[in-house]
Amino acid sequence: MAETASRRQPNPYRPGFNQAPMVFAGRQEILDAAGEAMEVAAFDGRTPRPLILVGPRGVGKTVTLGEISHAAAAQHSWPTVHVEATAGGLTETLTVRLRAVRSLLEGRTPTDRQRGGARITGAKVQASILGVGGGIEVERDTTESRRSLDAELRDTMTVAMEREAGLLLTLDELQNASSAELHALGGVLQENVPEGWPLVVAVGALPSLRGKRSGRLPTYLERAEWHTLETLPGSDARAALSGPAERSHRPMTAEAVEALLALSGGYPYAIQVAGHFAWRASHGRTAITEQHAREAEPRIVADLDQLFLSRWEDASPREREYLTALAAAELSHPAPNGGHVAAVLDERVTAVSYLRDRLMKKGTIYRDGAGGLRFITPGMGDWVRRTANPR
Ligand SMILES: Nc1ncnc2c1ncn2[C@@H]1O[C@H](COP(=O)(O)OP(=O)(O)OP(=O)(O)O)[C@@H](O)[C@H]1O
Ligand SMILES: [Mg+2]
């Protein structure tokens, strides 16, 4: 049958956290800012301000850091040191990873670059340096922990500069680091980094990192270039959704794109989920049609519901009441504050602020830059209004 593809094609969508998409859409402003920081560091002999990407879960902070890492490798042959912060482990992990990258750089002779050989490619960086999805495992080694971060950074930078390279440092989930660790890191990066090191620092974090501002964040991070990641605007969401299908020679019809976008909104995680199930529903066909999108709908909805359900089940009965009130308040205010939520509950703000604080600490809700309260997983307010019953 002409309509039937002859062989099984792998699904080009990547539903899951930390999964680099086949088509990375939008975020141009951030990529430009990172590109500029690397140019400044590589060619102007100035160490640029760090970049900080904040946003709720699943908007693409980690994969954007990955894109920046690819650019560092492709444009400048810079390696990346990637660390996912865990409470209490930041300094040690960073030290160990710096050392691993130094060893890798030492494997290159200083003249490799001039000869055009042994360039660190994006693929190699992914496979051997980036911590995402494997790579270098960190072992707690007592001799390592004695070696200070400061000394290791200095040694690694020296080796990098001898090889006419620089270094990209990506620090993900930085909200997990304690205030003491952030200050230690800020101290090393701010006070001990000489002006002119080719070092670029890019951070990914939940919006709660902002809460550590106002005195509690080291000046180094406060004066950083902050970027807020939100859901993707329409045209970028369309590109993220239809791009992988197009590239895999099973294009989506315009109607299918619209039907799937209605389910996912511009939420990048949901876009990958929607694409994934629509691809599956169109198995063996040469295009993804609206009919396939409709067939995929229950699975897409069930997958996203699971995400919301796990957050809901993690909440106490009183916290669920607060979440229900927040979802109700969203109908009259796009980003309601604590006062609006308390009004729905018919309580004083101070009587329920402990619920708000607990939910923020759990990472179920967050406060945006303007003081509004939001669900950390886009679409959850809608889900709460549809399905959840306060107990
Ligand atoms: N710009 C983009 N274009 C296409 N897909 C994207 C984009 N950004 C993110 N995604 C997809 O969204 C999903 C979530 O991305 P990612 O894990 O980077 O989010 P995150 O913000 O780091 O989430 P978390 O806060 O949970 O760590 C992945 O499936 C990824 O492929
Ligand atoms: Mg992430």
Side-chain angles (χ1 to χ4, degrees), residues 83-107:
V83 174
E84 193 177 305
T86 50
L90 178 64
T91 312
E92 199 179 18
T93 311
L94 187 51
T95 308
V96 174
R97 296 236 163 134
L98 277 165
R99 181 158 188 264
V101 166
R102 179 159 58 83
S103 306
L104 194 117
L105 282 165
E106 280 170 339

Side-chain angles (χ1 to χ4, degrees), residues 21-368:
M22 179 191 264
V23 172
F24 179 87
R27 309 294 186 215
Q28 199 53 49
E29 195 197 330
I30 296 171
L31 298 181
D32 287 349
E36 199 183 311
M38 286 188 279
E39 300 255 304
V40 161
F43 304 124
D44 300 352
R46 283 187 287 129
T47 308
R49 295 191 293 160
L51 295 142
I52 301 189
L53 320 185
V54 284
R57 292 245 169 252
V59 286
K61 300 177 293 296
T62 302
V63 301
T64 305
L65 290 178
E67 284 293 309
I68 296 173
S69 171
H70 282 304
Q75 322 277 317
H76 302 284
S77 282
W78 284 15
T80 297
V81 171
H82 178 83
V83 174
E84 193 177 305
T86 50
L90 178 64
T91 312
E92 199 179 18
T93 311
L94 187 51
T95 308
V96 174
R97 296 236 163 134
L98 277 165
R99 181 158 188 264
V101 166
R102 179 159 58 83
S103 306
L104 194 117
L105 282 165
E106 280 170 339
R108 296 201 298 169
T109 63
T111 51
D112 272 347
R113 217 173 157 222
Q114 283 94 312
R115 290 206 308 264
R119 283 175 63 91
I120 295 180
T121 65
K124 190 169 172 196
V125 167
Q126 274 290 5
S128 58
I129 302 175
L130 264 178
V132 179
I136 295 167
E137 279 306 310
V138 178
E139 282 165 28
R140 285 183 179 264
D141 177 328
T142 46
T143 53
E144 267 308 330
S145 58
R146 282 203 299 274
R147 210 182 153 85
S148 78
L149 172 60
D150 190 39
E152 190 53 68
L153 181 64
R154 200 162 288 279
D155 290 353
T156 307
M157 287 307 300
T158 303
V159 172
M161 287 186 286
E162 278 168 11
R163 281 146 182 84
E164 293 185 17
L167 193 69
L168 172 68
L169 206 60
T170 52
L171 307 172
D172 205 1
E173 304 277 358
L174 199 64
Q175 78 285 344
N176 288 336
S178 67
S179 201
E181 283 179 311
L182 291 178
H183 278 88
L185 178 75
V188 169
L189 293 175
Q190 183 167 351
E191 287 146 35
N192 302 350
V193 168
E195 208 24 56
W197 266 10
L199 173 68
V200 171
V201 178
V203 167
L206 289 176
S208 57
L209 185 71
R210 278 187 197 283
K212 300 193 174 172
R213 279 178 108 165
S214 60
R216 287 183 57 217
L217 268 191
T219 337
Y220 175 76
L221 294 178
E222 264 188 11
R223 68 178 188 102
E225 196 178 305
W226 289 71
H227 292 269
T228 305
L229 274 80
E230 313 235 320
T231 50
L232 291 169
S235 55
D236 295 335
R238 277 186 185 82
L241 189 57
S242 61
E246 182 92 42
R247 275 206 207 168
S248 305
H249 311 293
R250 195 191 293 172
M252 276 181 191
T253 64
E255 294 75 23
V257 172
E258 293 315 310
L260 293 168
L261 270 186
L263 297 171
S264 65
Y267 182 35
Y269 173 82
I271 288 172
Q272 297 296 328
V273 169
H276 175 83
F277 286 114
W279 178 271
R280 269 173 52 168
S282 62
H283 175 66
R285 302 290 157 163
T286 53
I288 300 175
T289 65
E290 189 179 2
Q291 174 62 25
H292 298 133
R294 298 266 165 256
E295 278 169 35
E297 182 170 342
R299 295 196 158 180
I300 296 166
V301 171
D303 188 291
L304 297 176
D305 280 1
Q306 198 48 50
L307 209 64
F308 307 135
L309 191 63
S310 63
R311 295 266 156 201
W312 181 257
E313 286 179 346
D314 189 40
S316 70
R318 280 292 276 159
E319 288 166 2
R320 290 178 189 177
E321 284 177 31
Y322 196 90
L323 295 175
T324 307
L326 172 58
E330 276 185 341
L331 292 176
S332 34
H333 307 89
N337 59 31
H340 297 128
V341 180
V344 174
L345 288 167
D346 201 18
E347 304 237 31
R348 280 178 303 115
V349 181
T350 49
V352 291
S353 58
Y354 76 101
L355 293 169
R356 177 200 61 202
D357 293 347
R358 279 197 336 214
L359 287 163
M360 290 202 327
K361 204 159 183 195
K362 281 184 178 173
T364 307
I365 63 174
Y366 71 99
R367 208 199 307 258
D368 66 20

